[in-house]
């Protein structure tokens, strides 16, 4: 039993219910110097991540090294015990988990970069500023949109979109951008907690058949409280007044901008449909959506180059022959290149490092201690706190693997806490990590940490509301 739990912890991408057969000679590393050293490496790497804005070391660098060292240590220990194949198989499963996340994010970032280049968010900024909204009203508009969109578009994609809007609207106020990014992370994570499509953890619970589809919507009111309480507390720290008016209110969207928006919505619908009706991983729908953008990009590039060549008149005496000087046609690959690579590599390091610790057995030990000794209510509340430090995917997988005997009320509780607990720290959720890269220098680990007590009040209030209406 110990061996099967050990290997199950490494398979974050393995569908719930599947089991590996670990060899009898597989060593137990949880109480081994290798295990302690792996924990120390992971802890040191996370300290460096949290100090990124102080020491100016990109967060991906320590996590990449930590992931490599942890698996090297595990491989050496298993090789000495004659169990080489298990480590290779575990690494492949963890890498598959990362590959799905990588390509999902890459497509979302590419679309956002394309919409930025076409002036979509500048137009939205001009429209919002034209309404005369102040910073405080804009704070609530973007936060509510994040909460309402994430149940359908997933919390990560929603956060990326709304952050781009915030940075376009409030680029003159770093305080507004910082607080709005915190609000977006909390809103997106809370909105994703009551929908099977809003977060990977809710999807895992639904796929395993723990809860039927409609039961997740019992978490709507607790999720709303989780978002509204910290937003109300942050409201008073927002700068007063309103952003500076744009130079003009002219239409600034470049040709094809609205079509790209429509293609992005179609891409999201494709990803959801692939998973819901065909049981195909959502990333395949996102990659298909990238194909939509590439085909349209081909048309757009040819269209722009044709009109430039037809309308351009060479100034007298200019023999350069450069008919497109100062202009740049649409290019999908340039938008791919501008993706936030530091964030993408950071995700690799986190998933592989946490997968290594799970393979050693620490996640299984944590789950057994929580549910076996402390009881389901305390354990499920702590799962949310733990997910602020460790990615909620392996934490939820550990809970599903242990499969403690709990009523539906408790399964709803752990679904809620695992979904919203990541909001306590900026590194606790994919949305927070992605926004640290997108709003670099304005939304940071410490700017989020300053408001962790307010977010914790919302976390506790949402649990209390869940007990009141669902208990």
């Amino acid at each position: 039993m110990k061996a099967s739990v050990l290997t199950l912890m490494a398979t974050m991408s393995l569908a719930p219910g599947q089991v590996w057969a670990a060899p009898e000679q597989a060593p137990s590393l949880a109480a081994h110097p290798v295990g302690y050293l792996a924990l120390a490496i992971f802890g040191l790497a996370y300290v460096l991540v949290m100090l990124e804005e102080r020491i100016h070391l990109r967060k991906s660098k320590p996590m990449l090294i930590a992931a490599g060292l942890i698996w090297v240590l595990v491989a050496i220990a298993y090789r000495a015990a004659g169990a080489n194949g298990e480590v290779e198989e575990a690494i492949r499963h963890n890498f598959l988990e990362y590959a799905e996340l990588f390509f999902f994010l890459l497509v979302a970032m590419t679309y956002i970069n394309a919409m930025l280049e076409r002036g979509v968010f500048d137009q939205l900024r001009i429209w919002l500023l034209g309404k005369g909204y102040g910073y405080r009203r804009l704070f609530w508009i973007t936060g509510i949109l994040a909460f309402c969109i994430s149940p359908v578009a997933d919390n990560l994609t929603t956060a990326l979109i709304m952050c781009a809007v915030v940075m376009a609207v409030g680029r003159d106020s770093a305080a507004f951008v910082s607080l709005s990014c915190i609000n977006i992370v909390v809103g997106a994570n809370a909105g994703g907690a009551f929908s099977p499509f809003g977060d990977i953890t809710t999807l895992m619970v639904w796929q395993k058949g723990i809860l039927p589809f409609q039961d997740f919507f019992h978490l709507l009111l607790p999720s709303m409280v989780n978002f509204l309480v910290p937003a109300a507390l942050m409201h008073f720290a927002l700068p007063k007044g309103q952003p500076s008016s744009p130079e003009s209110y002219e239409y600034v969207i470049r040709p094809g901008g609205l079509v790209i928006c429509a293609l992005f919505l179609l891409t999201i619908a494709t990803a959801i449909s692939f998973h819901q009706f065909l049981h195909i991983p959502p990333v395949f729908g996102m990659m298909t959506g990238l194909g939509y953008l590439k085909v349209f990009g081909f048309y757009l590039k040819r269209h722009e180059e044709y009109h430039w060549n037809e309308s351009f008149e060479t100034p007298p005496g200019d023999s350069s022959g450069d008919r497109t000087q100062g202009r740049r046609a649409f290019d999908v690959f340039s938008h791919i290149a501008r993706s936030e690579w530091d964030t993408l590599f950071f995700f690799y390091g986190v998933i592989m490092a946490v997968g290594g610790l799970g393979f050693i057995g620490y996640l299984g030990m944590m789950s057994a201690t929580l549910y076996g000794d402390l009881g389901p209510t305390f354990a499920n509340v702590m799962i949310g706190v733990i997910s602020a430090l460790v990615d909620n995917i392996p934490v939820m997988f550990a809970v599903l693997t242990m499969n403690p005997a709990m009523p539906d009320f408790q399964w709803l509780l752990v679904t809620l806490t695992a979904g919203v607990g990541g909001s306590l720290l900026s590194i606790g959720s994919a949305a927070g990590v992605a926004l640290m890269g997108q709003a670099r220098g304005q939304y940071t680990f410490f700017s989020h940490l300053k408001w962790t007590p307010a977010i914790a009040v919302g976390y506790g209030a949402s649990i209390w509301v869940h007990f009141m209406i669902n208990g």
Side-chain angles (χ1 to χ4, degrees):
M1 182 63 184
K2 277 188 177 181
S4 63
V5 170
L6 179 96
T7 50
L8 270 168
M9 290 302 96
T11 61
M12 291 188 294
S13 62
L14 197 63
Q18 289 182 279
V19 181
W20 288 355
E24 293 183 2
Q25 70 269 27
S28 176
L29 302 180
H32 191 276
V34 166
Y36 298 142
L37 183 56
L39 279 176
I41 292 172
F42 183 78
L44 176 61
Y46 246 94
V47 169
L48 294 176
V49 168
M50 292 185 289
L51 294 176
E52 178 186 14
E53 64 179 292
R54 299 285 182 89
I55 62 178
H56 304 291
L57 178 69
R58 292 290 184 93
K59 57 184 174 291
S60 63
K61 296 178 181 179
M63 290 309 303
L64 285 171
I65 295 175
L69 290 177
I70 288 172
W71 280 107
V72 165
L73 291 171
V74 172
I76 291 174
Y78 268 62
R79 184 177 179 84
N84 301 327
E86 290 301 306
V87 176
E88 180 182 358
E89 190 176 358
I91 290 176
R92 290 185 184 276
H93 276 277
N94 282 274
F95 190 80
L96 176 61
E97 170 75 14
Y98 167 71
E100 292 189 11
L101 178 63
F102 172 84
F103 286 108
F104 190 101
L105 278 175
L106 191 65
V107 175
M109 289 178 176
T110 301
Y111 264 103
I112 290 172
N113 288 335
M115 288 186 283
L116 282 168
E117 186 266 341
R118 292 285 107 177
V120 172
F121 297 112
D122 286 333
Q123 184 64 48
L124 179 58
R125 170 180 173 269
I126 290 174
W127 181 80
L128 288 172
L129 292 176
K131 294 292 184 180
Y133 296 146
Y135 284 120
R136 293 186 173 183
R137 193 166 184 180
L138 290 169
F139 170 86
W140 283 100
I141 290 173
T142 53
I144 291 171
L145 285 174
F147 180 85
C148 295
I149 296 173
S150 61
V152 178
D154 85 73
N155 53 3
L156 179 58
T157 304
T158 301
L160 290 170
I161 295 172
M162 298 315 302
C163 180
V165 173
V166 162
M167 293 183 67
V169 173
R171 57 189 178 189
D172 297 328
S173 174
F176 167 76
V177 172
S178 176
L179 289 169
S180 295
C181 284
I182 298 171
N183 195 39
I184 288 169
V185 170
V186 176
N189 287 339
F194 70 88
S195 167
F197 302 114
D199 189 80
I200 296 176
T201 54
T202 59
L203 188 62
M204 292 165 66
V205 175
W206 178 51
Q207 278 185 318
K208 192 174 182 181
I210 299 293
L211 296 169
F213 183 88
Q214 65 275 11
D215 278 16
F216 288 91
F217 296 98
H218 293 313
L219 296 175
L220 173 59
L221 190 56
S223 297
M224 290 178 62
V225 171
N226 181 268
F227 160 63
L228 292 173
V229 169
L233 294 174
M234 286 187 287
H235 172 87
F236 300 100
L238 287 163
K240 296 181 180 180
Q242 61 189 53
S244 57
S245 299
E247 296 75 12
S248 68
Y249 293 95
E250 296 179 359
Y251 191 78
V252 299
I253 297 182
R254 296 179 61 187
L258 294 180
V259 176
I260 292 174
C261 292
L263 291 177
F264 188 39
L265 294 176
L266 179 60
T267 297
I268 294 172
T270 301
I272 294 173
S273 299
F274 273 25
H275 181 267
Q276 176 70 8
F277 302 113
L278 302 177
H279 304 290
I280 297 175
V283 66
F284 284 87
M286 294 296 288
M287 292 301 293
T288 303
L290 182 61
Y292 305 157
L293 183 61
K294 281 179 171 289
V295 171
F296 179 68
F298 172 78
Y299 159 77
L300 197 57
K301 182 176 181 180
R302 296 291 296 270
H303 177 76
E304 289 185 337
E305 288 179 341
Y306 171 78
H307 282 280
W308 288 352
N309 290 333
E310 289 294 312
S311 62
F312 186 85
E313 294 182 3
T314 304
D318 185 358
S319 59
S320 65
D322 185 1
R323 290 175 166 262
T324 60
Q325 187 174 9
R327 307 192 188 192
R328 188 175 184 179
F330 184 87
D331 182 10
V332 173
F333 289 101
S334 68
H335 300 311
I336 295 175
R338 289 200 299 271
S339 297
E340 183 51 53
W341 293 100
D342 182 58
T343 300
L344 294 172
F345 288 132
F346 173 76
F347 281 142
Y348 166 84
V350 168
I351 289 176
M352 296 303 294
V354 172
L357 296 179
F359 187 77
I360 290 173
Y362 288 123
L363 294 183
M365 292 170 59
M366 178 184 68
S367 296
T369 301
L370 287 174
Y371 287 98
D373 300 336
L374 303 176
T377 297
F378 183 84
N380 290 332
V381 173
M382 288 303 300
I383 287 295
V385 177
I386 294 169
S387 68
L389 297 169
V390 180
D391 188 81
N392 60 359
I393 296 173
V395 172
M396 178 57 81
F397 193 88
V399 175
L400 291 172
T401 300
M402 294 297 295
N403 196 20
M406 299 189 297
D408 288 354
F409 165 77
Q410 290 290 349
W411 279 109
L412 283 170
L413 176 60
V414 73
T415 301
L416 173 69
T417 57
V420 304
S423 300
L424 292 168
L425 296 176
S426 62
I427 58 174
S429 66
V433 174
L435 263 58
M436 280 196 295
Q438 193 172 5
R440 183 177 302 280
Q442 294 174 296
Y443 172 63
T444 64
F445 175 83
F446 284 101
S447 68
H448 190 110
L449 183 65
K450 179 181 177 181
W451 289 98
T452 292
I455 300 170
V457 172
Y459 178 74
S462 65
I463 294 172
W464 179 78
V465 170
H466 174 61
F467 271 86
M468 291 298 101
I469 66 174
N470 297 323

